[in-house]
Amino acid sequence: MINPETGARFDAFRHRGYALYFYSRFLGTFAVQIVSVAVGWQMYEETGNAFYLGLIGLFQFLPSLFLTLVTGTIADRYNRRMIAAVCFGVATVCAATLLAITILGLFSPWPVFALLAVFGTERAFSGPALQSLAPNLVPEKDLANAIAWNSSSWQIASIVGPVAGGLLYGIGATFAYSTALALFAGATVLMVMVPKPESRRPQSAVSLQSILAGFRFITSEKVVLGAISLDLFVVLLGGAVALMPVFASDILDLGPWGLGLLRAAPGLVVCSSHFCLPVCRSAIMPATTCLQALPFSAFRPWFSGFRPARGFRLQRLLSWAGPT
């Protein structure tokens, strides 16, 4: 996160607009992680149906799938700051609704799925807007520093957020949703306070050709196509993540805090890899490692399907690591 030109770590934060954007995005991402853990645990706790856990991810993913060709174009041609603010506002309303139905004892799968679809829709629009807003808030010399901080904030939120969500849900579901509500509201206010950046809208009119330009670029750049295909293959076959509430509850006998730790584990691995990559002597080694790990990632859902005996406990799992 050190600026290669000045050697400073916080150059991007000298710009007020970026600082407000950074904290708004961090709060929003943190709140999403809390809601993800809370909804997953509450759904399985209320219904005991693992199939519903898969539907949670499906209802959040479908809006992004159907709106792929629309969201990027809208982010290019309209006020990205206001798009992000409106999306955070919608997320605030959704969190408030989840809190209300929990307090009133009206939790039911299909109304929750409808709320998650709204969540997925706002995230489909906020994603492109947030990603493309940062370059408009800092000068070119500080852009690399800003991108590095954005990546770090996302990793921190993906690690600490699930753990916080599990701990808060351990106190009570209302505590988890109330915290998410406050964080979403704070993210909305901070995003509204971001100064309006200089407009850099494209001059050409919207057309099918401009909408499909991204696909043409991906297919023409073999490196980009290979990287995206590799990631897509792993993600499509990595649905076992949806079953984490089952493992945390029935197999490991952990509470919601254990689910938070399980959800945070991938982020911890990513952060640890940041310390390992600098010791690699060439860029080929990480790519080779990814290709070697692909078969294990592909078959991970099948491995996860083997259910240990009822007597399996976390203490036994830890004992396999050796004496302490």
Side-chain angles (χ1 to χ4, degrees):
M1 292 182 289
I2 299 178
N3 192 321
E5 295 186 10
T6 64
R9 294 179 181 271
F10 304 101
D11 280 352
F13 290 94
R14 293 188 290 106
H15 309 281
R16 177 175 177 271
Y18 175 78
L20 292 171
Y21 158 86
F22 175 88
Y23 293 119
S24 173
R25 186 181 183 214
F26 177 78
L27 292 180
T29 305
F30 201 95
V32 166
Q33 298 297 331
I34 292 177
V35 170
S36 297
V37 171
V39 169
W41 184 270
Q42 187 175 19
M43 182 67 70
Y44 189 67
E45 184 179 48
E46 295 284 345
T47 66
N49 192 335
F51 178 70
Y52 286 154
L53 297 178
L55 292 181
I56 288 176
L58 180 64
F59 277 95
Q60 293 183 84
F61 167 74
L62 287 179
S64 297
L65 176 64
F66 293 128
L67 297 172
T68 297
L69 299 179
V70 178
T71 54
T73 302
I74 291 178
D76 286 339
R77 298 181 177 274
Y78 295 96
N79 190 325
R80 298 163 185 169
R81 176 179 62 96
M82 292 311 300
I83 292 174
V86 170
C87 289
F88 283 142
V90 171
T92 304
V93 174
C94 290
T97 306
L98 285 172
L99 175 62
I101 63 177
T102 300
I103 293 176
L104 297 175
L106 300 177
F107 188 93
S108 180
W110 293 104
V112 172
F113 291 148
L115 284 173
L116 294 177
V118 177
F119 258 121
T121 302
E122 67 86 8
R123 289 172 67 182
F125 282 96
S126 65
L130 289 171
Q131 292 174 10
S132 56
L133 180 59
N136 295 338
L137 299 175
V138 296
E140 185 176 355
K141 65 182 180 66
D142 295 331
L143 181 58
N145 184 247
I147 293 175
W149 275 109
N150 285 348
S151 177
S152 298
S153 69
W154 188 89
Q155 292 296 343
I156 293 173
S158 66
I159 294 172
V160 183
V163 178
L167 292 174
L168 289 169
Y169 194 95
I171 301 174
T174 55
F175 284 90
Y177 293 130
S178 297
T179 303
L181 171 61
L183 293 177
F184 278 131
T188 305
V189 172
L190 290 175
M191 187 58 66
V192 171
M193 294 172 60
V194 173
K196 185 178 181 180
E198 180 182 354
S199 178
R200 301 178 186 177
R201 299 177 184 175
Q203 300 300 321
S204 59
V206 178
S207 64
L208 181 62
Q209 184 178 6
S210 64
I211 292 176
L212 298 177
F215 291 100
R216 289 197 300 272
F217 173 78
I218 292 174
T219 55
S220 63
E221 296 290 335
K222 302 304 180 183
V223 175
V224 177
L225 177 61
I228 291 178
S229 301
L230 178 67
D231 182 67
L232 178 64
F233 182 73
V234 173
V235 170
L236 286 177
L237 296 176
V241 174
L243 298 177
M244 282 185 178
V246 180
F247 277 73
S249 175
D250 296 347
I251 298 176
L252 299 177
D253 273 355
L254 301 173
W257 67 272
L259 173 60
L261 290 177
L262 291 175
R263 290 291 300 267
L268 289 172
V269 174
V270 171
C271 287
S272 64
S273 68
H274 291 172
F275 295 97
C276 298
L277 290 181
V279 304
C280 297
R281 296 186 178 181
S282 68
I284 300 177
M285 293 180 65
T288 304
T289 303
C290 289
L291 291 175
Q292 292 173 345
L294 179 58
F296 295 97
S297 299
F299 289 102
R300 181 178 57 186
W302 284 272
F303 293 147
S304 300
F306 289 104
R307 183 185 182 92
R310 272 292 182 183
F312 185 89
R313 296 293 183 267
L314 179 61
Q315 290 82 356
R316 183 176 301 180
L317 177 65
L318 294 177
S319 67
W320 291 343
T324 55

